[in-house]
């Protein structure tokens, strides 16, 4: 409701990407994680949500996180300041085209920098 934004989570293949050799990743305004295929994993998701929950706890805020039904998003447990809500099955294909505009804008900003 407040319009706050979180830094995007960028997942790459390498722990220390060659393109960011002399750049402090903390100054880029992103969170970075790596996996073998540059895909979200259950561990990356869990760590990201735990960091977000800690931040929300410090700020004394509670949020609702809307998620698609990807298997990596499932988590056994609860968070103190985040409620996970899973969208109904078979709705991702109806919603996902919206993501393409976000991805395109993000790529343009990165290439510009």
């Amino acid at each position: 409701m407040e319009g706050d934004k979180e830094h995007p989570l960028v997942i790459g293949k390498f722990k220390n990407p060659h393109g960011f050799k002399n750049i402090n990743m903390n100054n880029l305004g992103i969170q970075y994680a790596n996996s073998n295929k540059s895909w979200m994993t259950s561990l990356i998701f869990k760590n990201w949500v735990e960091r977000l929950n800690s931040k929300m706890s410090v700020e004394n805020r509670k949020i609702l996180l809307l998620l698609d039904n990807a298997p990596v998003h499932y988590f056994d447990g609860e968070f103190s300041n985040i409620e996970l809500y899973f969208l109904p099955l078979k709705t991702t294909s109806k919603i996902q085209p919206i993501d393409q505009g976000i991805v395109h804008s993000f790529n343009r900003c990165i290439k510009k920098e």
Side-chain angles (χ1 to χ4, degrees):
M1 285 176 57
E2 295 176 0
D4 291 342
K5 296 180 182 177
E6 293 300 314
H7 294 299
L9 174 64
V10 177
I11 303 171
K13 188 172 187 175
F14 303 104
K15 187 172 186 173
N16 299 309
H18 183 70
F20 296 107
K21 184 176 172 183
N22 297 320
I23 297 174
N24 183 348
M25 299 281 269
N26 296 327
N27 295 337
L28 291 178
I30 63 170
Q31 295 179 45
Y32 182 81
N34 67 297
S35 69
N36 290 341
K37 295 184 178 181
S38 301
W39 290 353
M40 174 68 78
T41 64
S42 297
L43 181 61
I44 292 172
F45 177 73
K46 180 179 177 250
N47 291 338
W48 179 78
V49 175
E50 286 174 347
R51 282 193 302 266
L52 183 60
N53 187 60
S54 295
K55 180 180 178 187
M56 294 300 112
S57 181
V58 167
E59 295 177 3
N60 197 26
R61 295 175 56 194
K62 294 194 178 244
I63 64 170
L64 174 67
L65 190 59
L66 300 175
L67 301 164
D68 65 7
N69 56 359
V72 297
H73 292 156
Y74 288 99
F75 177 75
D76 289 336
E78 293 185 11
F79 297 101
S80 59
N81 292 65
I82 297 177
E83 182 179 342
L84 303 179
Y85 178 82
F86 293 93
L87 296 171
L89 293 174
K90 299 182 182 177
T91 58
T92 303
S93 62
K94 308 253 187 281
I95 297 168
Q96 200 162 10
I98 296 169
D99 292 344
Q100 294 306 312
I102 295 167
V103 170
H104 178 71
S105 296
F106 180 76
N107 286 338
R108 282 186 30 211
C109 289
I110 294 297
K111 287 177 183 177
K112 191 182 288 184
E113 292 296 320

